[in-house]
Structures are given as C-alpha cells and as structure tokens.
Amino acid sequence: MSEWQRYSAVEYSRPAALAEEISGRSQIPIGRANKLLSDSAERIRRLLGLETDPVCRMDGGVQFQNVAGIVLVAPRIELEIAPKFLGDAPGWREDFFLLATLSSHGRLLDRDGLNSAARRTSNLATLIARSFLEMCSQNSRRPIRSYHRLPHTGLSLEGEFDPEELTFPSEDGFEQEVTTFTSTNSYNAVLRAAALRLFGIVADADMRARLERIIQSLPRQAIPVRLNERRLPSRAWLWQPAYDLAVDILRGFGGTFDPKNLTAPGYIVSTWQTWEDLVSIALRLSFGARNVHVKSRHRLGSKVVGNVTSVVNVTPDYVIAIDTDYGRRAVVVDAKYKGSVDRGSRTVSSSDTYEALAFSRATGANEVVLVYPTTIGSRARALGFVGSASEFANIEVGSTRIRAVEVGVRGVAAAQGLRRFAGSLRSAIVSAS
C-alpha cells in the first residue's frame, strides 16, 4: 500500500461496515482490519481514561461513542471521527480543533503520524500551527523571562568574581557571574523547538514566515531532556496554553517525521467533556465569571444506613445568577450530551428529568435548563449552525420548570463564532426567566 488512506465516521451515526471498507481498500484480511479497529479503540479508551469501549459493534458494523478526532489505525491508514454536533460537513476540522484546544480533555496522540498533504487546507498540521501562532502572537509583547546566574566577561565589575582575576584578567576582561533577567530558559527552549518542528512540516508560506520569526526571536538553546507538563511562573501564566501545546507538539511528532511524507500528530477528545467545557466557557463569556458557579455541591437531604447518618449532595454543572426586573434569580444549567435526542426522539429522558428536579430542590432554583448540542442530521440541519438555538421540551413539576434546548455548534471556529455561540446560549437561558 503506497498511498495514504483516510476513512471517515461520525460519532453516534448509523453503524458502518468500517472493517470491511478497510479490508477492501487496503487488501488486508478482514480479521486484521477488525483487530486494527479494536486496538485503536483500546488505545483511545486508555488515553482518555474512558470506562467503556468507544467503539460499539452492532448491526454488522461499528459505531463510535463519546470520542472524536483523527487517529492513526495502521501505517498510512488514518481514521477521522467527527463529533455528532459537527458531522462531516466542510469545515468541521477547524471547528473540532478549536474545541479541542479550548478543552482540557483533548490531547495530541503520541507517535501518530498522519498525512498532511499541502493541497488540503484543513489538514491537522495547519490547524495546529495556526493555533500555536495565535497563542504566541497574543503574548508576544510579554516574553517569558526568568532570573539566571550566567557567566559574563567584561572590563567592568558587575557580579561575583575571582580575586585573582583582578590581577590577571583575560584579554576580554574579568570573568564574572551575573544575575540576569533573561529569555534563556527551558520554557522558551520548548516553544522554539515546537516552532522548528512545525516549520518543517507546514507548507503554507505565510505560516512558515511567522514560525521563522518566532524561531529567530527566541535564544538558541538545548531543549530539556524530559518534556514535562509544567506550570509556568505566575508572571508568565498567559503563556501556559501555548507551552502546553508546544509540549504536545514535540511529543506527538517525535520519531515519525519523514520528509517524503508530511506527518502530523493524531488528536482525540472525549466529546461529552469537551461539550461541558464549551458550555462553561460560553456561560462565563455571556454572564461573567463571578455569576457562574461551576460544579458546586448542594445538600439534597440525608440518608440513614444502620445507625450511620450521612449527607446526600448533588452537583449540578452550573448555577448562574441572572439579573431581572424583580432582582437576581438563580438558574441551574446542566450540559447534556447523550440522551433521547440521539435516537431521534424530541423528549427528555426520565432520568434527566429526575436529576433536574433534584438539582432544583437542592439549590432552591425553580428553573432548570438542559443544554444539548444540535445533532447534525436531525430534522432541521440549519439549526446545527452556530448562533441557532431551539427549545424542544418544556416540563413543569409543581413550581419547577425544566426546559431543554439544542444549541448549534457548526462554524464556531469562524470569526466571532464563539461569541455567537455564547450569545445564543444566553438568549435561550434568559428566556427561561
């Protein structure tokens, strides 16, 4: 097999005969194709810490659940899994990578070499480079500096020195040790090395020029032998996302680069956790961080087992405070990913209803909003675009009102896409008040 092969699937879509397709195109035994899929599923499960297998076998095919991304199945065989709320429409990769970098649950897959042909504008290497460049550009005026004691030779006395050198200086002056606030440090070494790695595989001329400027602006130095995920000093905390991505880049590209075949690392995420992170970011953008309480515990009641009494707590995803004409009101917001919506039903499951009632009672909030991503391929595809939101269920139990809404995600990587998503989510929640 001389050419790269890419196979595509959409999370929670109809089971597909993917093993048969791989076997037919790659001319490998069907048993080998099934083994490749099983091994990839186990690796994904282990990397993301999933409790269940992300590949479900049913109706003679396979269905991917709770994961999305791009992964190497075998040498020169790639598999891309689009999340259910993006589908496989053009531009889904840009949206996916934005969400993956926003979320703390995405990671570059070590040692996965993926084809990144220059003729494709949406290849993963280009997306990674674009994200890395944007992160560095935002903080370019605040370079990472740290204090170091460095050797210095000069005719003036500035630091510690050997008394004998006062009598017998070298031709260049006195050899001393000077404490310097410098850009020469391990953090910049990692950033420069990542820019060099990207420069070698990105074909876009503008991006290569921007990467070269980063390379030239940082001091040449050896990178740390061990690449660890480290917390940057507090004065450089804005660089943390760029540093984390740089570490992933160096890990992911390690040992796979072949000049004859441009390669890029695989990227995989846990979709339901990524969805929670997106909702959290949107709520903070639209309501302000101080008005959004994330994963706060609330007492629901108590239970007695034998002679032991213990407290029963519940933890809603978010409790937000909304200013109204009658004062501030609390609204519980729960990010939902899997449910009856996936099966084509426009209802809220009984378990989600009971959970919402428990949240309402524990927090004292009479309004609960369940937020689902619009599944691409549902009855109204247009609703899948960012900025759209629709209510599909309204449940009243006593004084508690539970509303379920779908919010579109497609196009979130476009200009102002994230703010449009946040705006539509805010409108859907405020209308409940």
Side-chain angles (χ1 to χ4, degrees):
M1 184 175 60
S2 60
E3 295 184 358
W4 283 86
Q5 295 181 5
R6 172 167 288 184
Y7 300 85
S8 300
V10 178
E11 179 196 22
Y12 285 109
S13 62
R14 292 181 180 276
L18 192 57
E20 288 77 4
E21 185 182 355
I22 293 175
S23 176
R25 287 180 56 187
S26 305
Q27 297 182 350
I28 61 177
I30 184 66
R32 172 63 175 161
N34 277 311
K35 181 67 163 54
L36 291 175
L37 288 176
S38 298
D39 290 348
S40 298
E42 174 58 23
R43 186 157 56 101
I44 292 171
R45 187 196 66 78
R46 190 171 60 252
L47 284 167
L48 295 179
L50 302 176
E51 296 181 356
T52 58
D53 194 332
V55 177
C56 182
R57 300 181 182 275
M58 58 178 74
D59 300 331
V62 295
Q63 182 190 69
F64 295 89
Q65 300 180 356
N66 298 323
V67 295
I70 306 177
V71 64
L72 191 71
V73 175
R76 310 183 77 81
I77 298 179
E78 305 166 10
L79 172 64
E80 58 180 16
I81 310 163
K84 67 177 185 179
F85 51 81
L86 295 178
D88 55 0
W92 78 266
R93 295 177 188 85
E94 287 88 342
D95 292 339
F96 164 77
F97 188 68
L98 171 68
L99 298 179
T101 52
L102 288 175
S103 171
S104 59
H105 301 286
R107 58 160 295 168
L108 290 168
L109 292 182
D110 299 351
R111 299 178 300 281
D112 270 17
L114 300 182
N115 184 32
S116 298
R119 66 180 179 273
R120 298 190 60 174
T121 59
S122 296
N123 66 72
L124 199 59
T126 301
L127 298 178
I128 291 171
R130 183 183 305 159
S131 180
F132 179 75
L133 287 167
E134 288 302 318
M135 291 179 183
C136 292
S137 176
Q138 291 172 3
N139 302 301
S140 60
R141 296 186 178 182
R142 295 179 293 271
I144 304 175
R145 292 194 177 98
S146 55
Y147 288 100
H148 285 281
R149 296 188 64 80
L150 300 176
H152 171 74
T153 301
L155 296 175
S156 60
L157 298 176
E158 298 181 14
E160 295 182 0
F161 50 86
D162 187 342
E164 292 185 4
E165 293 295 330
L166 292 177
T167 308
F168 306 102
S170 66
E171 294 181 358
D172 297 323
F174 302 103
E175 295 184 0
Q176 309 160 68
E177 278 194 356
V178 179
T179 300
T180 306
F181 195 48
T182 176
S183 296
T184 302
N185 52 61
S186 60
Y187 309 115
N188 284 326
V190 170
L191 292 171
R192 187 177 189 276
L196 274 169
R197 190 66 59 86
L198 289 172
F199 183 83
I201 64 168
V202 172
D204 183 84
D206 179 63
M207 286 192 178
R208 287 172 62 86
R210 293 176 64 188
L211 287 167
E212 187 173 18
R213 285 196 292 271
I214 292 177
I215 295 168
Q216 297 298 328
S217 67
L218 296 174
R220 184 191 299 269
Q221 55 185 317
I223 65 172
V225 177
R226 298 184 62 182
L227 290 171
N228 298 321
E229 296 177 358
R230 301 169 56 188
R231 301 305 300 175
L232 269 63
S234 57
R235 60 179 173 271
W237 69 272
L238 290 173
W239 279 94
Q240 190 70 55
Y243 177 81
D244 292 341
L245 181 57
V247 170
D248 277 341
I249 289 169
L250 294 177
R251 285 175 173 174
F253 285 126
T256 64
F257 178 63
D258 176 3
K260 297 180 181 179
N261 272 305
L262 300 183
T263 58
Y267 213 114
I268 200 76
V269 298
S270 172
T271 45
W272 70 266
Q273 291 175 311
T274 302
W275 172 244
E276 281 192 358
D277 289 342
L278 176 61
V279 172
S280 178
I281 292 169
L283 290 176
R284 292 171 185 271
L285 278 175
S286 54
F287 290 99
R290 63 186 181 88
N291 295 320
V292 180
H293 301 279
V294 181
K295 300 289 186 181
S296 55
R297 291 201 306 172
H298 298 265
R299 177 171 177 160
L300 179 63
S302 61
K303 65 178 179 181
V304 179
V305 179
N307 296 322
V308 179
T309 302
S310 57
V311 175
V312 177
N313 294 314
V314 294
T315 309
D317 289 338
Y318 321 100
V319 179
I320 61 176
I322 299 178
D323 292 320
T324 68
D325 294 338
Y326 306 99
R328 291 170 67 83
R329 300 188 64 179
V331 178
V332 173
V333 178
D334 209 35
K336 296 295 182 183
Y337 193 74
K338 182 183 177 182
S340 300
V341 177
D342 294 318
R343 298 187 292 271
S345 173
R346 314 302 296 174
T347 61
V348 177
S349 66
S350 297
S351 59
D352 287 347
T353 302
Y354 298 146
E355 185 180 49
L357 290 173
F359 290 158
S360 173
R361 179 170 180 176
T363 61
N366 293 330
E367 299 160 90
V368 181
V369 181
L370 309 180
V371 182
Y372 297 80
T374 301
T375 301
I376 303 302
S378 62
R379 56 186 176 85
R381 291 181 62 89
L383 293 178
F385 287 98
V386 69
S388 64
S390 64
E391 178 184 321
F392 65 87
N394 192 321
I395 304 168
E396 292 191 15
V397 180
S399 60
T400 300
R401 185 158 62 126
I402 305 168
R403 298 175 65 246
V405 298
E406 284 183 308
V407 187
V409 185
R410 286 176 61 188
V412 71
Q416 299 298 313
L418 186 58
R419 292 199 173 276
R420 290 180 62 196
F421 176 86
S424 61
L425 179 59
R426 176 186 172 86
S427 297
I429 293 171
V430 170
S431 64
S433 300

